[in-house]
Amino acid sequence: MNVFDLTAIEKELQEAVRATGASGTVYTSRPNAVPGTMDDFIVAKVSGQVTDRGAIGSCVCSVSLFAKDLQGGFKNGTRLSLMQRRLTEGLALSTGSLMFSDTPRIVADAPDGYGYTARIINIDTTIKTTNLKTE
């Protein structure tokens, strides 16, 4: 039986997402508060279970793009679309231990109640190794 370290998977995902340039700030969970000057950020995490498939594993990586709402509380669709394009065009299909599907699924745009709207994108992911360990 393989033991997949969720923290190590999310750390590698976070680095892969950061490398796309979609946002300068990438978290693994939604912070309670962000600086008022922050126009955007990303939350990249494993959504649901990590499945052991013998020699490999699989999971769904969820990437939520957060853009500060425009005046009046309207979503900033232009910024979300730019972030989405940078993410999907820039995300490597493979990192050291993860292999991402080339067909990400855009789930929805949803306000977070804190002045940002999130565009949620799910990516089927194969875990190529059990060597992922948190140090």
Side-chain angles (χ1 to χ4, degrees):
M1 181 166 108
N2 295 310
V3 178
F4 296 103
D5 185 335
L6 185 62
T7 301
I9 293 167
E10 288 184 333
K11 183 177 178 182
E12 191 164 327
L13 170 64
Q14 186 179 26
E15 291 306 314
V17 169
R18 186 175 284 117
T20 68
S23 177
T25 307
V26 182
Y27 301 110
T28 55
S29 63
R30 171 67 167 95
N32 290 335
V34 295
T37 58
M38 189 177 292
D39 291 328
D40 61 54
F41 62 93
I42 296 175
V43 173
K45 64 182 183 176
V46 173
S47 179
Q49 67 186 21
V50 176
T51 304
D52 182 352
R53 301 212 182 275
I56 61 171
S58 65
C59 64
V60 174
C61 290
S62 177
V63 180
S64 298
L65 313 173
F66 285 82
K68 189 172 191 149
D69 292 337
L70 300 171
Q71 190 171 4
F74 298 100
K75 79 175 179 179
N76 189 339
T78 302
R79 183 175 290 276
L80 288 170
S81 292
L82 175 63
M83 293 172 72
Q84 177 185 334
R85 187 169 54 254
R86 285 184 179 161
L87 175 76
T88 56
E89 291 175 358
L91 187 65
L93 290 179
S94 182
T95 65
S97 301
L98 305 176
M99 189 165 49
F100 303 111
S101 166
D102 62 354
T103 54
R105 295 181 311 278
I106 291 91
V107 178
D109 286 354
D112 72 352
Y114 297 102
Y116 290 82
T117 297
R119 178 163 295 168
I120 304 162
I121 301 171
N122 288 338
I123 305 168
D124 293 323
T125 304
T126 300
I127 307 163
K128 301 184 289 186
T129 179
T130 59
N131 294 332
L132 282 168
K133 294 190 179 15
T134 304
E135 296 181 24

